[in-house]
Amino acid sequence: MKSILKQIIATNKEVEKAEKLAVQTEIRNPATKDSRRNFLRKSAVGGIALGSFMSMSIEDTVAQATSKVNRASKPSELKITDIRYCVIQNVGRTPIIRIDTNQGIYGLGEVRDGADERYALMLKSRLLGENPCNVEMLFKTIKQFGMHGRQAGGVCGIEMALWDLCGKAYNVPCWQLLGGRYRDKVRLYADTPEFESLDEFKQKIKFRTETQGYTWLKMDISIGMLKGKEGSVVNNKVWGGGFSQWSGDYNSYANTKHPFTAIQITPKGLDEMAKVVDDVRSIVGYEMPISSDHYGHFDLNNAIRLGKAMDKYRLAWLEDMVPWQYTDQWKQISEALETPTLTGEDIFLKEGFQPLIEARAVDIIHPDLASSGGLLETKRIGDYAEDHGIAMAMHFAGSPVSFMANVHCAAATQNFLALEHHSVDVPWWESIVKTTDGRKLIEKGYANVPLEAPGLGIELVDEEVKKHLTPKDKSYFAPTDQWNDKRSHDRLWS
């Protein structure tokens, strides 16, 4: 094999030299027509020169000759031809979208976990025929259709896929398109595993830290852990004895904002919650940051009482103690506590973060890139926070597609602290993608930043993704022609 390739290279070397000389001679000839001259120049640029093989090893030559390079790709002539989707069972449901083009390259994006793929599909008619490399222009066109929380999922998923396409078209990683990188690895934080006994928890933490390599953990400190402990909570029974934050109708505790429940934690309840944190800290130690979340729906006074009970454990942050919209309440909580405060996973766009940042109402912002506006908007949010002396952590619970979008953004943002990894214990999670440069997706608690791989740096493993499709929709990137037609005038001004 090697000898044959060497012969081919040697034979073609002289042929290529002669061909290049003939082309250059024709280009320089005054009698050559402009159309012919342009054709020859494009041909010279568009092909892979055999001469470049001369400096490669045999193995590199084979790899180059057999790689799936789209030699017809020309970024200025790219057009969006379709937007398709599939939905996997991950954190409930997670839609993955694919933007196809006229040149055979495509971009991958993701609608936020728990959201509807139709948030993205409704944007298709506004994007067909457009050049996907005009990312900012297209984002400004569609961002009016996003909103806080999961309703931003369509706009953000499209934005991710556009950057993936743009990176592939220009053969550079997404972080390069955002202005360059500050780091080669992105630190991850992982949830602490649930436990029945401290001995069991010790084993799980040992696996999380020593085997998996995580250096930052997060735990829930919820009033849900007080269920069945008489005298620990005030005004619980009026809600039907419900501690759940996640399910119920619009009149339930789960869907009632924190200031409007009149739930209070008693001193006994605070002691019980503090004991759980004390147990965790005694096992983990004080070298490792431990963040906290999911306390329950109670007002700012109880948030301050709980926060003060936790101050001695030097937690990395107290997350979403009250809804993010209450800037003044956040400022009161932050000023009353020593522990850093954090919110932001449901905020859409930089404008949504500005009141919190400008008032310095929280110590750390916490955008979820699949809600905050995608890669570029989230970097802008991080940069704006940095200007005000505020750090940025990143919330994430989704598939490896959105994960890699977060990794590129985190690599390109200086004040970044850590990125959430919500599916640490899902055995198939990493198997649904492959990296295009052969690197490991995650290594010892850090995500590896693709240093040269174009776009997001991953491709789907079709056969693996199909194993995890939601039972309610087994379609796999089927045509979506029903979303082709635009039926509205979208301009917001006259």
Side-chain angles (χ1 to χ4, degrees), residues 1 19 35 61 84 133 141 158 190 212 219 248 262 273 284 295 306 308 312 400-401 405 409 411 431 452 475:
M1 176 72 173
E19 288 178 349
S35 58
T61 299
R84 304 185 179 195
C133 297
T141 300
I158 292 291
Q212 293 181 307
M219 66 179 294
M273 297 171 79
V284 173
Y295 316 101
L306 176 60
K308 287 183 175 178
K312 63 183 177 180
V401 175
C409 181
S431 70
E452 295 181 357
S475 65

Side-chain angles (χ1 to χ4, degrees), residues 120-138:
L121 293 173
M122 68 166 287
L123 304 173
K124 179 181 177 181
S125 62
R126 283 92 178 164
L127 298 168
L128 285 175
E130 296 289 344
N131 187 322
C133 297
N134 294 324
V135 183
E136 186 174 37
M137 183 270 285
L138 295 180

